[in-house]
């Protein structure tokens, strides 16, 4: 057996909720530079005049990160990390931590297994619920990741995370903090379905066919497959979401207008800008998150059982 042994008592909803948020924060710490590189590649080409003025071109994942470090300093790949961690504690706790509970709610009584339709419905539900709670943190995270700071002569729009919340609310209204909610709900419902349903099914089949036991290798393979599927299906919506969230007021009338302008000016391949960092990030993020999540659930249940034990 690799890792902690599964608990004899199923993990409670509270354990799943706390474990999912903590595991997601750990995964974000490891993969945040890849996410920042993805954002920079997604918005590249959005405003050719501005890009020409900056004379900053990003090529590939490693090239983007190295360019940022060279031109903006070594901390630049972690721009928006605080908002990112705030997002994960509220977002991942709901969409991942509540997935099993919602899946059981949708599963007909007396049924031994949940159908794919039930799992997809549960993924859509928790994904939409999570965005509804965490949208402002996502907007601030994207703004920090997209902002370019070129040294002492370049002014920062936001002095910190809390200042970003206040500034956006003051300049764009409270609605500014909820900008891009619709494409974000769409994106995260798709991603949540792809991640949770794929992870659920791959893990279930590996165990049912006795290919692996419920340990780290099983979790690793299931998480890697979930990350790949999520990247393929969600990349187009992710690019539109990033462009729309980062746009100044008036640039796009709606997410649909953003999508149409992207196709008209840059062609359909624009929907897969930043695909490689998206896959590297989602793949690595899923592996780190699910492996940590499975171990945290077991560790927390062991602690809970020890506290409740009379001896």
């Amino acid at each position: 057996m690799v890792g902690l042994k599964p608990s004899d008592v199923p993990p409670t909803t509270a354990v799943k909720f706390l474990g999912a948020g903590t595991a997601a924060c750990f995964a974000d710490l490891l993969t945040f530079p890849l996410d920042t590189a993805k954002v920079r590649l997604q918005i590249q080409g959005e405003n050719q005049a501005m890009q020409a003025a900056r004379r900053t071109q990003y090529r590939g994942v490693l090239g983007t990160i190295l360019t940022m470090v060279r031109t903006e300093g070594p901390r630049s790949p972690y721009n928006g990390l605080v908002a990112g961690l705030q997002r994960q504690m509220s977002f991942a706790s709901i969409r991942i931590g509540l997935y099993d509970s919602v899946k059981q709610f949708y599963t007909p009584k007396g049924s031994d297994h949940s159908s794919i339709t039930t799992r997809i419905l549960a993924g859509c539900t928790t994904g939409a619920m999570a965005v509804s709670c965490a949208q402002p943190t996502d907007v601030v995270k994207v703004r920090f990741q997209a902002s370019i700071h070129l040294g002492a002569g370049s002014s920062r729009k936001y002095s910190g995370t809390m200042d970003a919340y206040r500034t956006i609310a003051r300049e764009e209204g409270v609605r500014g903090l909820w900008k891009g909610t619709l494409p974000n709900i769409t994106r995260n419902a798709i991603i949540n379905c792809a991640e949770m349903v794929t992870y659920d099914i791959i893990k279930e089949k590996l165990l049912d066919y006795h290919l692996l036991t419920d340990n780290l290798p099983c979790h690793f393979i299931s998480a890697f497959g979930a990350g790949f599927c999520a990247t393929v299906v969600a990349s187009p919506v992710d690019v539109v979401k990033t462009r729309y969230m980062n746009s100044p007021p008036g640039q796009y009338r709606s997410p649909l207008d953003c999508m149409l302008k992207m196709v008209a000016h840059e062609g359909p391949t624009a929907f897969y800008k930043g695909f490689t960092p998206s896959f590297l990030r989602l793949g690595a993020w899923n592996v780190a998150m699910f492996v940590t999540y499975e171990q945290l659930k077991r560790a927390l249940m062991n602690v809970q059982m020890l506290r409740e034990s009379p001896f």
Side-chain angles (χ1 to χ4, degrees):
M1 174 65 69
V2 182
L4 295 175
K5 181 181 178 181
S7 171
D8 294 330
V9 180
T12 63
T13 301
V15 164
K16 292 177 184 178
F17 191 87
L18 177 62
T22 305
C25 285
F26 174 73
D28 246 28
L29 286 170
L30 295 180
T31 63
F32 203 81
L34 294 172
D35 191 41
T36 303
K38 176 204 72 174
V39 169
R40 292 294 180 91
L41 287 167
Q42 286 177 338
I43 64 172
Q44 184 164 256
E46 183 177 29
N47 188 324
Q48 296 292 348
M50 188 178 294
Q51 289 295 334
R54 290 170 176 165
R55 299 184 183 279
T56 302
Q57 293 293 321
Y58 304 116
R59 294 183 176 86
V61 184
L62 182 60
T64 299
I65 295 174
L66 291 176
T67 298
M68 290 179 62
V69 170
R70 185 177 68 252
T71 59
E72 303 172 54
R75 296 173 60 183
S76 58
Y78 279 92
N79 284 344
L81 177 62
V82 174
L85 296 179
Q86 291 172 349
R87 173 180 179 268
Q88 292 299 351
M89 280 308 299
S90 56
F91 182 73
S93 296
I94 295 172
R95 79 176 183 92
I96 298 171
L98 298 184
Y99 171 79
D100 286 334
S101 299
V102 175
K103 183 176 70 174
Q104 290 301 316
F105 175 78
Y106 285 134
T107 301
K109 290 183 179 179
S111 178
D112 293 333
H113 295 285
S114 301
S115 66
I116 292 180
T117 302
T118 298
R119 299 181 202 209
I120 291 174
L121 187 58
C124 288
T125 301
T126 57
M129 289 168 57
V131 173
S132 300
C133 296
Q135 180 67 8
T137 62
D138 207 7
V139 171
V140 170
K141 178 182 81 78
V142 168
R143 296 287 181 92
F144 270 105
Q145 288 176 314
S147 64
I148 296 179
H149 182 70
L150 300 177
S154 176
S155 61
R156 290 184 182 272
K157 185 171 184 179
Y158 309 119
S159 60
T161 305
M162 297 311 297
D163 179 61
Y165 289 116
R166 289 191 294 267
T167 301
I168 293 172
R170 183 176 65 250
E171 294 180 354
E172 304 174 39
V174 176
R175 291 178 61 184
L177 289 170
W178 300 91
K179 189 172 187 178
T181 300
L182 182 59
N184 209 17
I185 286 178
T186 305
R187 170 191 180 267
N188 283 293
I190 293 171
I191 284 184
N192 208 39
C193 284
E195 285 181 350
M196 297 306 298
V197 175
T198 304
Y199 181 83
D200 219 7
I201 291 174
I202 293 176
K203 180 182 174 184
E204 183 180 277
K205 296 305 178 185
L206 288 174
L207 297 177
D208 286 349
Y209 288 103
H210 305 290
L211 298 173
L212 292 170
T213 55
D214 192 2
N215 54 25
L216 289 179
C218 175
H219 304 156
F220 181 93
I221 293 172
S222 303
F224 189 84
F228 179 77
C229 290
T231 308
V232 171
V233 299
S235 188
V237 184
D238 190 30
V239 175
V240 173
K241 180 215 76 165
T242 299
R243 294 278 186 100
Y244 189 69
M245 279 185 177
N246 187 56
S247 65
Q251 182 172 353
Y252 303 118
R253 294 191 301 273
S254 66
L256 178 60
D257 180 55
C258 177
M259 180 187 74
L260 294 175
K261 286 182 177 177
M262 281 176 56
V263 174
H265 297 155
E266 303 170 58
T269 56
F271 290 118
Y272 282 92
K273 280 193 170 183
F275 180 83
T276 300
S278 289
F279 171 58
L280 290 176
R281 192 258 176 182
L282 265 181
W285 191 92
N286 272 271
V287 169
M289 196 287 299
F290 277 113
V291 168
T292 305
Y293 178 45
E294 295 280 6
Q295 295 301 304
L296 273 176
K297 283 192 297 183
R298 296 173 183 185
L300 290 172
M301 285 307 298
N302 287 340
V303 171
Q304 182 174 314
M305 291 172 67
L306 285 173
R307 290 182 60 183
E308 295 175 354
S309 175
F311 303 103

